Amino acid sequence: MNPEISYYVFAVIAVILAGLAKGGFAGVGALAMPVMALGVDPVRGAAILLPILILQDAVSVWVYRRSWDGAILKVMLPGAAIGILLGWFFATRVSETAVLGVLGAISILFGLQRLWVERGSAVVLPSNSPGWVGVLFGIASGFTSQIAHAGSPPFQMWVLPKRLPRDMLVGTTALAFAAMNWMKMPAYAALGQFTRANLMATAMLVPVAVVSTLAGVALVRRVDPARFYTLIYGLMVLLGIKLVADALMA
């Protein structure tokens, strides 16, 4: 396939997945970066997606602006800032091939972890685990978010055991990742990724992001979630294996 055509095919698919996630299919967005990396180098792909994620975050934050837990954010966001800094440092010191390999490894671990959770076999932390544990999970969330826009698993592992009311959980998650995505902006700017070409690519994908987010809202109540998520997370594992294999053979 022509490289330019390949990029647009995978970019559109990635943005559709991100939109479906914001529209209600939580977790599906983690597949966006592995798909994007099939058509473009992972750092550039993440930079193209970042403004789209921020645009989608704005909608979620507005909807849930009155439902969020400040205590959780106070613990996790400082850790996330450290993790984002570590992710930036990693990206500046290693090759594109190494970033591709890490992205693949994150995809495999995320997919396997979510398949394990879907089976009802999740191992969760106690609801009263100390704040320093939350900071560590915040660091992990920030790092994986910086590298692959996939910070959900560490965040969820610390927050879900607290059994927040639904709207407060969604609102806290939305606000946390909106903050993380804004924190990532200076890191990607420092990596020189907000070029005219990348910003133009982002602008061309915005309509796809809007339509796919609305589609997610419309479809979330009509699709069998168990089969859908099993398919998505299975694909994540397979894509992760391919990315790791590509990195090892490069």
Side-chain angles (χ1 to χ4, degrees):
M1 187 184 294
N2 181 288
E4 187 170 349
I5 295 175
S6 174
Y7 157 72
Y8 280 109
V9 169
F10 291 124
V12 168
I13 294 172
V15 172
I16 289 173
L17 290 166
L20 291 175
K22 297 295 183 180
F25 291 100
V28 173
L31 187 56
M33 266 310 302
V35 169
M36 193 79 162
L38 296 176
V40 65
D41 81 76
V43 176
R44 184 187 176 207
I48 291 171
L49 280 179
L50 182 55
I52 292 173
L53 296 177
I54 287 174
L55 176 64
Q56 293 169 327
D57 285 334
V59 177
S60 300
V61 170
W62 174 257
V63 171
Y64 294 99
R65 63 191 181 280
R66 295 186 178 90
S67 302
W68 49 279
D69 189 308
I72 289 175
L73 297 178
K74 184 185 292 187
V75 169
M76 295 209 78
L77 287 181
I82 296 171
I84 288 167
L85 185 62
L86 292 174
W88 164 79
F89 184 81
F90 176 85
T92 62
R93 296 299 190 278
V94 301
S95 66
E96 174 189 323
T97 300
V99 175
L100 195 69
V102 171
L103 173 59
I106 290 171
S107 302
I108 294 169
L109 292 173
F110 184 99
L112 291 175
Q113 188 260 353
R114 294 311 302 173
L115 288 171
W116 184 254
V117 169
E118 293 297 317
R119 291 184 58 201
S121 305
V123 177
V124 297
L125 296 169
S127 60
N128 61 345
S129 58
W132 64 266
V133 176
V135 172
L136 292 179
F137 277 90
I139 292 172
S141 184
F143 180 83
T144 53
S145 186
Q146 170 69 20
I147 295 294
H149 296 323
S152 291
F155 181 87
Q156 292 174 348
M157 287 176 70
W158 195 68
V159 173
L160 289 183
K162 300 183 181 304
R163 300 187 179 277
L164 300 176
R166 186 197 64 185
D167 284 2
M168 185 167 288
L169 173 63
V170 175
T172 303
T173 302
L175 197 56
F177 283 98
M180 284 190 218
N181 284 333
W182 276 107
M183 288 180 197
K184 290 186 285 190
M185 291 289 282
Y188 279 99
L191 291 169
Q193 290 299 319
F194 290 134
T195 63
R196 178 182 174 83
N198 285 357
L199 292 174
M200 289 295 293
T202 296
M204 292 178 67
L205 292 168
V206 166
V208 179
V210 173
V211 171
S212 59
T213 302
L214 295 175
V217 173
L219 291 173
V220 72
R221 296 180 180 87
R222 301 181 184 181
V223 176
D224 178 4
R227 292 182 179 179
F228 181 78
Y229 283 123
T230 298
L231 173 63
I232 290 296
Y233 299 135
L235 285 173
M236 276 201 73
V237 174
L238 294 176
L239 276 174
I241 291 171
K242 182 186 185 306
L243 293 175
V244 170
D246 288 347
L248 291 174
M249 291 187 295

